[in-house]
């Protein structure tokens, strides 16, 4: 029942994602002014920050789905966790690479082992570990269970990433947008960043739904073949 | 509408490099998903036309076992 509904939902997320990406780029490059300290190099934040947020958000979501799948033997939840992993890893990689490309002109180096960057790199390894672990176990139920344990243990890294700039002295700048209090960023810059965040969110939903449909089909095919062989 | 300075001051490589890398990853993700979907459809058609022989079957998805 979920399969056809998911198929119908995909364009409702894919089309707004494309429109929002275009709008975010327009506001970020045509309306947002040049930063007086960083010049135009700061424009990397319009992709870097949303990608970093999505990397963390998708990990938490993946851990929740994996945990639900494990605790309640809900196969759709486990499949959702698998579907989220690749997109989450991709956004984390985007945040690491764009962060390095931002670091070079602003700090003079692509990489330092500072708390924020190191914990984000660990997040990337957690995603890779989750994907590799699931791929290495043939039995899907065992693979889902093993993945869930890793995802749940690794979720502790997300608050570490978020608070790392407060807990340790880091080269990475502190939060410019807070849940409580005014953001320390100009309105057009914030607008562009939020539009790009919305674009990334819509994109994620669309690609995760496509991947989830593929996983459902793959598992059904495998189950059908298994039943056929054992008939 | 004023076009932005495409050289991004002297930071063009870093700014455009960031967006190009992100774009490549998004395109890769979409294309790989399309390919996966196509392969699955082909597999489905093959499965319908010729049932799998037990000797050929190597998959181990035991969705039917507890």
């Amino acid at each position: 029942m979920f399969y056809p509904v998911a198929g119908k939902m995909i364009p409702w997320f894919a089309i707004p994602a494309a429109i929002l990406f275009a709008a975010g780029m327009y506001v970020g490059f045509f309306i947002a002014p040049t930063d007086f300290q960083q010049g135009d190099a700061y424009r990397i934040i319009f992709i870097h920050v949303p990608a970093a947020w999505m990397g963390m958000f998708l990990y938490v979501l993946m851990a929740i789905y994996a945990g639900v799948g494990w605790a309640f033997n809900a196969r759709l939840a486990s499949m959702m966790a698998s579907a989220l992993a690749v997109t989450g890893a991709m956004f984390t990689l985007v945040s690491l690479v764009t962060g390095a490309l931002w670091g070079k002109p602003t700090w003079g180096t692509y990489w330092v082992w500072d708390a924020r960057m190191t914990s984000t790199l660990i997040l990337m390894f957690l995603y890779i570990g989750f994907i590799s672990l699931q791929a290495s176990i043939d039995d899907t139920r065992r693979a889902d269970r093993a993945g869930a344990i890793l995802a749940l243990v690794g979720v502790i890294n997300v608050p570490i990433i978020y608070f790392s700039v407060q807990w340790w002295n880091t080269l990475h700048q502190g939060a410019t947008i807070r849940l409580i209090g005014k953001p320390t960023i100009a309105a057009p810059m914030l607008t562009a960043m939020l539009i790009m965040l919305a674009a990334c969110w819509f994109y994620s939903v669309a690609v995760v739904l496509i991947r989830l449909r593929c996983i459902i089909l793959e598992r059904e095919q495998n189950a059908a073949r298994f039943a056929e062989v054992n008939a | 509408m004023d076009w932005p300075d495409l050289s991004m001051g002297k930071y063009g490589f870093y700014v455009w490099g960031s967006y190009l890398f992100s774009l490549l990853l998004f395109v890769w993700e979409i294309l790989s998903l399309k390919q996966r979907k196509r392969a699955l459809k082909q597999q489905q058609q093959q499965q319908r036309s010729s049932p799998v022989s037990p000797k050929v079957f190597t998959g181990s998805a035991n969705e039917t076992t507890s």
Side-chain angles (χ1 to χ4, degrees):
Chain A
M1 189 191 152
F2 178 80
Y3 188 86
V5 174
K8 281 181 189 157
M9 281 162 69
I10 292 164
W12 291 97
F13 290 96
I15 296 165
I19 295 167
L20 285 166
F21 269 124
M25 291 292 280
Y26 175 76
V27 177
F29 282 86
F30 288 89
I31 296 175
T34 302
D35 186 73
F36 81 101
Q37 268 184 327
Q38 298 184 28
D40 283 315
Y42 92 92
R43 292 186 202 274
I44 296 172
I45 62 164
F46 302 133
I47 188 69
H48 171 73
V49 176
W53 285 347
M54 288 307 296
M56 288 191 286
F57 172 69
L58 291 180
Y59 191 90
V60 174
L61 209 56
M62 182 185 88
I64 292 170
Y65 274 115
V68 168
W70 183 29
F72 302 106
N73 204 14
R75 279 186 290 172
L76 187 61
S78 300
M79 287 190 265
M80 180 62 107
S82 306
L84 284 163
V86 179
T87 306
M90 205 201 69
F91 275 116
T92 308
L93 182 62
V94 167
S95 83
L96 285 169
V97 172
T98 56
L101 285 166
W102 191 11
K104 184 64 181 167
T106 49
W107 305 329
T109 179
Y110 285 108
W111 184 264
V112 282
W113 292 100
D114 108 322
R116 173 60 68 85
M117 287 180 262
T118 308
S119 52
T120 306
L121 185 66
I122 291 169
L123 182 72
M124 182 74 205
F125 290 148
L126 283 167
Y127 272 124
I128 293 171
F130 180 86
I131 296 163
S132 309
L133 188 63
Q134 287 214 318
S136 64
I137 303 171
D138 285 336
D139 180 342
T140 48
R141 289 194 180 192
R142 275 186 57 223
D144 287 342
R145 220 174 301 144
I149 294 167
L150 179 65
L152 288 169
V153 170
V155 87
I156 192 72
N157 187 46
V158 175
I160 293 175
I161 298 172
Y162 187 79
F163 291 109
S164 58
V165 287
Q166 291 173 29
W167 291 344
W168 292 285
N169 273 327
T170 66
L171 192 57
H172 196 284
Q173 69 188 69
T176 44
I177 298 162
R178 295 174 183 88
L179 290 173
I180 305 160
K182 276 180 119 181
T184 56
I185 184 171
M189 297 176 186
L190 179 64
T191 307
M193 212 155 78
L194 294 178
I195 294 172
M196 289 294 273
L197 177 66
C200 290
W201 186 83
F202 275 94
Y203 168 84
S204 300
V205 177
V207 292
V208 166
L209 285 176
I210 297 171
R211 188 173 295 110
L212 182 60
R213 276 163 57 93
C214 288
I215 294 170
I216 291 170
L217 267 187
E218 278 165 4
R219 291 195 181 190
E220 271 182 7
Q221 279 185 9
N222 283 344
R225 276 197 291 173
F226 187 82
E228 204 173 282
V229 166
N230 287 293
Chain B
M1 185 173 74
D2 289 332
W3 278 88
D5 170 22
L6 290 179
S7 69
M8 293 285 131
K10 51 189 177 180
Y11 306 117
F13 168 75
Y14 305 106
V15 176
W16 296 123
S18 295
Y19 285 93
L20 184 67
F21 178 79
S22 310
L23 181 71
L24 285 176
L25 273 190
F26 291 140
V27 170
W28 166 81
E29 190 177 26
I30 292 164
L31 290 181
S32 64
L33 276 173
K34 272 191 167 184
Q35 206 182 339
R36 188 172 173 180
K37 212 171 147 185
R38 205 181 308 131
L40 272 169
K41 276 188 179 168
Q42 275 178 352
Q43 221 175 317
Q44 222 171 11
Q45 281 170 348
Q46 276 176 354
Q47 224 169 314
R48 275 186 203 136
S49 58
S50 58
V52 178
S53 138
K55 280 179 187 171
V56 173
F57 176 68
T58 52
S60 59
N62 58 351
E63 298 274 332
T64 50
T65 59
S66 56

